[in-house]
Amino acid sequence: MKNLKILSLACALWLSGSAAMAQVNLDSLDAVYDSLSIGEVSVTAAKPMVKMEADKMTYDVAADEDAKSATVLDMLRKVPMMTVDGQDNITVNGSGAFKVYVDGKPNPMFSQNASQIFKMMPASAVQKIEVITNPGAKYDAEGAVGVLNIVLAKQAGGGAAQVVEGLTGTVRAQVGNRSVGGGVFFSAQKGKLAVSGNGFHQRQRLKDSEIETEVTNSDGSSRNTAVSFTQRNPFTMGNLSMNYDLDSLNTLSASVGVMAFRAKMEGNPVVSIGAGNGLDGSTKYAYEHDLKSRYTSLNASADWQHFFSAERNHFLTLSYLLSHTTQKTENGMVYDHLLPSLFSVSKPKSLEQTLQFDYTRPIGTGQTLNVGLKYIARTNKAWAEDRTEQTASLTEYRHSNDIGAAYAEYEGRFGAFSTKAGLRYEHTWQSVSYKQGQGDDFKSNYGNLVPSLSLSLSPSMTKNIGLTYNMRISRPGITYLNPYVDRSTPGHISYGNPLLEVEKRHNIGLSFSSFSPKFMLNMGLNQSFSNNQIDEYTFVAEGEVNKTYGNIVKLRNTSLTAFANWLVTKKTRLMFNGQLDYADLRSSVLDTKNSGWHTNMMLGLQQTLPADFKLGLNALFDTKNYTLQGWKSGYEMLVARLSKGFLSNRLNVAVVGFTGLRKGGAINIETYNRGRDYVQTQNIRVPIWQVQLHVSYTFGKQGVKTKEHKSRIQNDFMEKKSEQEQVTPASGTM
C-alpha cells in the first residue's frame, strides 16, 4: 500500500512536470515543495526563494526569514540585478531608469521617492519582489531597464473552491534608537466577496550626518561647504482591495490606496570661498538651512473581467486607474548680514487617469494572442516662489502628457521551448504652458514603435535558459525640461532643457536558472546600449557652477549577475548575491569619456540555533562606480538579526542591528566630478548604526486564502526624473 502511494505521488509530479515543461513554473508546485503528505509518507523540500525566467526574476520575500525584521530596502540588497548603494540610491543593472509598481499598479509616489519609502517600509509588508527586465508589449515602453513590482503581503487566493471564509491578519510593532513604527494587515472572505487591507506608520530620525563639498575652478578660486544635519521622516501608508464574483464568468475588482510622507532636514552650513588668479584673501560665513517636504498620494483602480469559457483562458478586461499626487517643499536659508536670506516654496501636483482594454484568446494548442488599447491622460501643475528681503520671483506652469497606445503579443509553448514576441506603438502629445515666470510655452508630439522578444528553453523542470531583446524609452520629466533657473544654493544654479529628446535604450539578456531542494543558482548576462542617454552635466560660467541636462551620453553597459542559495544542512543556509559590470560612457558635447569596472555583493548566513532561535548575518560590499564626469566610491555594511517564534509561531520577536564598517558605525561616500574648468569633490558621512526590536502577532484562522484585487492595468508611464525630483537627503547638498 505504501509503495502504491509513493507511485501515485511520483506520477502526479511527472504529469504536472510534463504539462509545464515549456517553462519552469515553480509557483504551481508550491504545495509540492512545501509539504506533500500521503498517509504515512511525507516528502518535504525547500521552496525556491528566487525564480529566474527569461523575462523576469521573482524574489520570494515571504520565504526569507530576515523579512520579519528587515525593511524593503534591506531586501532589495539581496535581489539579483538590484543594487542599493551607500546613499540608498536604487539601480537595476546599473541604471535608475526603472518604474515601480505596487500590486501590479503603477504608483508615481513610489517611483519618485522609491529609496526613502523602501527604507521605511517593513519587508513583512511584502509578499514578493518582481524585477521585470523584459516587460513585453503589454507593458508601456516607459522605463529604460524595466519594471520593479512590489507585491504586498496578502492571503493570496485562487478559484472559489480554495476560498475559506473567515478573517486573518497580523499586527506589527518596531522600536529602535533611530526609528519607531507599527502596522496591521488583514484579509477576509464572506461568500462571493473578498477583502484585504494593510496599513502602517513609521517615524525615523537620523542625526550627525555630514556633507562636505569643495569646488576648485581653473583660475584657482575655490568654494568649500561643510554641514552636519539632522533628518526626520514620518511615513504613513494604507491600502484596501476587494474582489466580487458577479457570476461564474464575470468578476469585479477595485482597490484604493493612500500614502503620506514627510521629510525635514536642519543644518548650519559653513562656507569658505578662496580667491583665484594668485590673489590673496578669502571669505567665510555660516547660515541656517531648513528644508521641509511633504508628499501625499491617492491611487484607485477598478476592473471588470469577462470570461468566455469555464477554462478562463479566453477573456477580456476593462480597467480604469486614477492616481493623484501632491507635494510641497519649503526651503529656507537665513544668513547673518553678509547675504540676503533666501526662502522658496514649491507646490507641484499631478493627476493621471488611465483607461485600458485587453483581450486574450487561445489560437491553438499552447498558443495565445494578446491585443489591447490604452489611453493615459496626465497633467502636472506646479507653483513655485523664490524670495529674499528685497526681491521675489514666481513661477507657475502646466505640463500635459497624453499617450495613446496599441499592442499585439504572441505567446507560444512547444514542448520544452516557449516564445513571446510583441510589438507596441505609443504616440505622445506633450505641451507646457507658463502662466507666470520665466519659460517658453511649447508643444510636441511624436510616436515610438517598440519591439520585444523572449525565448525560453526548459530542458528539465528545474532548469531554464532564456534569451531576451527589448527596446525601452524614457521620456524627460518637467524638471529636465523646465528652463527655470534655480538659485537656491549660493554659487550654484540649475535649470532644465526644453529641447530634450526621448531616451532610447536597447537591452539584450541571457539568463540561466537551476533549482534543487538544496542548491539554487541564477545567473544573468546583460548588454544595454543607448546613443542619446539623458544625463546631467555641469560647467562654470561667470563664477557660478551651472547644472543642466542633455541627450549627451553614449552608453555601453555589460553586466553579469549571480545569485546562489545553498541549504548546507537543515539548520544552515548560505546566500550570495553579486553583480559585476563594465560601463563605457562617452560624450562628444563635453569632449569627455569615462569607463570602469564596478562590483557589489552580499554574503548571507541564516542559522537555526538551539531553542529554535534564528540568526541572520549579511555582509554587503560595493566598489567604485563610474559616471560620465567622475566616480562615486563604494561602502561596507554589516546586518545581524536574532529572532524567535512563540505561540506556534503566531508571535515573532526579533532584535536587529546594522552598522557601517567605518569609525562610529558610519559609511563614507566620496564623489569626484571633473569638468572642463573645474573639479568638484564631495564627502558624505552617515552614521547608520542602529538597534531595533521587532514584534509581530498573527491572529485569525491559519491558512485562510482570500482573493485580492490586482489591477489589470500595467502602466509603466512615468517620465524620467532628475535627482531634484527625488528625496534622497544623503545625496543632496545643503
Side-chain angles (χ1 to χ4, degrees):
M1 188 65 179
K2 181 182 297 185
N3 292 334
L4 179 60
K5 293 177 180 178
I6 294 176
L7 179 62
S8 300
L9 172 61
C11 291
L13 286 171
W14 183 84
L15 288 172
S16 64
S18 61
M21 188 65 73
Q23 183 176 1
V24 177
N25 187 358
L26 295 171
D27 280 345
S28 64
L29 300 178
D30 282 351
V32 175
Y33 288 125
D34 286 335
S35 179
L36 284 174
S37 179
I38 303 179
E40 302 174 12
V41 180
S42 179
V43 180
T44 60
K47 181 180 178 181
M49 192 174 296
V50 172
K51 182 173 67 174
M52 185 77 74
E53 301 172 74
D55 53 356
K56 72 176 181 179
M57 185 285 310
T58 303
Y59 190 92
D60 191 343
V61 177
D64 192 330
E65 187 70 26
D66 292 344
K68 297 177 181 179
S69 54
T71 68
V72 175
L73 198 71
D74 294 330
M75 304 309 296
L76 288 178
R77 289 189 167 98
K78 297 184 175 186
V79 175
M81 296 179 290
M82 300 291 301
T83 301
V84 182
D85 68 16
Q87 294 174 260
D88 295 335
N89 297 309
I90 304 170
T91 59
V92 177
N93 282 334
S95 173
F98 61 90
K99 302 297 165 273
V100 179
Y101 279 25
V102 177
D103 281 342
K105 304 183 291 293
N107 191 306
M109 189 68 176
F110 272 72
S111 295
Q112 295 176 22
N113 307 285
S115 174
Q116 287 296 310
I117 292 172
F118 289 152
K119 72 180 178 182
M120 289 184 290
M121 185 176 181
S124 54
V126 175
Q127 180 71 25
K128 59 184 178 179
I129 297 172
E130 296 177 339
V131 182
I132 307 173
T133 53
N134 189 20
K138 292 181 68 174
Y139 286 77
D140 292 349
E142 185 73 21
V145 292
V147 174
L148 177 63
N149 184 34
I150 305 297
V151 181
L152 297 179
K154 300 183 182 73
Q155 303 295 335
Q162 292 181 303
V163 175
V164 179
E165 292 198 0
L167 172 68
T168 187
T170 302
V171 292
R172 298 175 172 87
Q174 165 251 313
V175 62
N177 61 316
R178 298 181 186 271
S179 62
V180 62
V184 60
F185 304 84
F186 74 92
S187 60
Q189 175 77 31
K190 181 66 175 178
K192 296 182 177 181
L193 177 65
V195 180
S196 63
N198 63 76
F200 62 88
H201 176 79
Q202 182 162 327
R203 306 181 70 88
Q204 185 180 61
R205 182 175 182 268
L206 299 175
K207 64 178 183 177
D208 300 328
S209 297
E210 299 174 357
I211 300 178
E212 183 175 2
T213 305
E214 183 170 7
V215 179
T216 303
N217 302 318
S218 57
D219 63 1
S221 61
S222 63
R223 180 187 186 90
N224 181 283
T225 304
V227 60
S228 175
F229 63 91
T230 298
Q231 173 187 342
R232 297 177 177 85
N233 301 107
F235 175 74
T236 304
M237 176 182 170
N239 186 81
L240 183 67
S241 64
M242 60 80 67
N243 182 290
Y244 185 75
D245 291 328
L246 300 173
D247 53 44
S248 61
L249 298 178
N250 293 276
T251 300
L252 181 65
S253 304
S255 72
V256 60
V258 295
M259 182 167 54
F261 170 68
R262 294 175 182 265
K264 183 177 182 180
M265 296 173 59
E266 299 171 314
N268 295 92
V270 177
V271 181
S272 301
I273 301 176
N277 293 321
L279 300 177
D280 295 328
S282 63
T283 302
K284 185 175 183 178
Y285 61 90
Y287 62 96
E288 297 178 9
H289 192 175
D290 189 7
L291 177 64
K292 300 177 183 177
S293 298
R294 180 181 67 197
Y295 304 80
T296 58
S297 175
L298 170 67
N299 292 273
S301 63
D303 300 272
W304 171 66
Q305 192 167 34
H306 173 72
F307 299 93
F308 295 94
S309 64
E311 291 77 14
R312 296 198 168 197
N313 57 359
H314 181 198
F315 57 89
L316 65 85
T317 306
L318 292 177
S319 305
Y320 172 76
L321 174 67
L322 170 71
S323 179
H324 181 62
T325 302
T326 62
Q327 176 183 342
K328 181 179 180 181
T329 300
E330 299 174 276
N331 192 12
M333 288 171 285
V334 180
Y335 299 90
D336 186 12
H337 306 301
L338 184 64
L339 294 171
S341 298
L342 177 64
F343 302 91
S344 64
V345 179
S346 63
K347 299 178 181 179
K349 60 181 178 180
S350 67
L351 176 65
E352 180 179 310
Q353 299 184 80
T354 303
L355 186 63
Q356 181 169 326
F357 165 82
D358 296 288
Y359 177 73
T360 297
R361 179 185 177 89
I363 57 175
T365 303
Q367 301 178 71
T368 304
L369 179 65
N370 305 300
V371 296
L373 299 171
K374 186 175 187 178
Y375 190 81
I376 306 172
R378 184 174 188 179
T379 301
N380 296 300
K381 296 180 180 180
W383 177 94
E385 179 186 23
D386 292 327
R387 59 183 173 85
T388 66
E389 289 90 340
Q390 295 84 24
T391 63
S393 63
L394 191 64
T395 301
E396 186 176 4
Y397 63 82
R398 175 189 175 96
H399 177 210
S400 298
N401 233 342
D402 292 354
I403 300 175
Y407 75 88
E409 186 174 68
Y410 166 83
E411 295 182 64
R413 298 183 178 181
F414 309 94
F417 176 76
S418 64
T419 182
K420 180 190 294 184
L423 193 63
R424 183 181 185 90
Y425 178 77
E426 294 186 351
H427 198 88
T428 304
W429 295 269
Q430 181 175 245
S431 66
V432 176
S433 60
Y434 289 85
K435 295 183 178 180
Q436 300 185 70
Q438 298 181 352
D440 298 326
D441 298 353
F442 66 90
K443 295 182 179 180
S444 66
N445 67 85
Y446 50 86
N448 296 103
L449 193 62
V450 182
S452 61
L453 176 65
S454 175
L455 305 174
S456 180
L457 177 66
S458 297
S460 69
M461 283 200 53
T462 59
K463 289 182 174 58
N464 180 268
I465 302 172
L467 178 66
T468 62
Y469 163 77
N470 65 69
M471 188 187 87
R472 307 291 292 166
I473 65 174
S474 288
R475 299 178 179 89
I478 186 61
T479 299
Y480 278 88
L481 297 168
N482 187 5
Y484 168 72
V485 179
D486 181 0
R487 300 182 179 274
S488 60
T489 302
H492 296 71
I493 62 175
S494 61
Y495 45 89
N497 178 4
L499 301 180
L500 289 175
E501 299 177 353
V502 171
E503 176 185 311
K504 299 178 181 179
R505 180 178 296 199
H506 300 268
N507 305 285
I508 302 173
L510 178 65
S511 64
F512 171 77
S513 177
S514 177
F515 169 78
S516 72
K518 286 192 174 183
F519 186 75
M520 178 193 319
L521 176 65
N522 296 280
M523 299 187 69
L525 180 63
N526 298 277
Q527 174 69 41
S528 63
F529 61 92
S530 172
N531 293 325
N532 70 336
Q533 179 174 293
I534 299 172
D535 203 353
E536 70 176 39
Y537 63 96
T538 56
F539 60 92
V540 175
E542 298 181 357
E544 291 184 308
V545 177
N546 288 241
K547 185 179 79 171
T548 188
Y549 311 92
N551 296 97
I552 61 172
V553 179
K554 288 187 176 181
L555 167 71
R556 303 293 185 268
N557 190 84
T558 305
S559 64
L560 175 66
T561 61
F563 178 90
N565 189 317
W566 180 26
L567 190 63
V568 183
T569 70
K570 292 182 179 180
K571 297 184 177 182
T572 305
R573 181 188 299 273
L574 297 177
M575 290 177 290
F576 170 83
N577 182 30
Q579 177 171 321
L580 174 67
D581 59 74
Y582 182 82
D584 185 284
L585 304 101
R586 303 169 184 264
S587 174
S588 58
V589 173
L590 299 179
D591 190 25
T592 187
K593 62 181 179 179
N594 201 8
S595 61
W597 292 92
H598 164 257
T599 184
N600 69 85
M601 66 179 69
M602 183 280 299
L603 302 174
L605 166 69
Q606 292 180 341
Q607 178 70 47
T608 300
L609 302 175
D612 204 32
F613 280 90
K614 309 288 186 180
L615 173 66
L617 294 174
N618 294 309
L620 303 110
F621 305 92
D622 188 80
T623 64
K624 183 183 294 185
N625 198 6
Y626 290 88
T627 61
L628 177 63
Q629 293 181 292
W631 48 263
K632 179 186 293 185
S633 68
Y635 65 92
E636 308 86 31
M637 292 177 56
L638 184 64
V639 183
R641 296 178 177 84
L642 183 64
S643 63
K644 180 174 173 56
F646 302 91
L647 304 177
S648 300
N649 285 324
R650 286 180 176 266
L651 176 66
N652 185 273
V653 180
V655 177
V656 183
F658 56 94
T659 181
L661 299 182
R662 299 293 179 94
K663 183 178 179 180
I667 57 173
N668 285 2
I669 305 296
E670 298 179 14
T671 303
Y672 174 87
N673 285 290
R674 185 181 186 91
R676 292 176 179 175
D677 44 17
Y678 79 98
V679 172
Q680 176 178 294
T681 60
Q682 186 177 74
N683 194 328
I684 301 175
R685 181 181 181 276
V686 183
I688 64 169
W689 70 270
Q690 294 189 47
V691 178
Q692 300 173 346
L693 174 66
H694 296 252
V695 180
S696 65
Y697 179 76
T698 299
F699 60 89
K701 297 181 179 179
Q702 296 286 334
V704 172
K705 294 178 179 284
T706 65
K707 291 184 283 185
E708 78 280 356
H709 169 51
K710 182 176 182 180
S711 174
R712 307 302 172 181
I713 290 182
Q714 296 175 327
N715 188 353
D716 290 332
F717 170 57
M718 194 198 78
E719 303 152 335
K720 182 180 178 74
K721 302 293 182 181
S722 73
E723 288 185 2
Q724 290 181 326
E725 295 175 274
Q726 312 243 352
V727 182
T728 309
S731 61
T733 300
M734 296 194 68

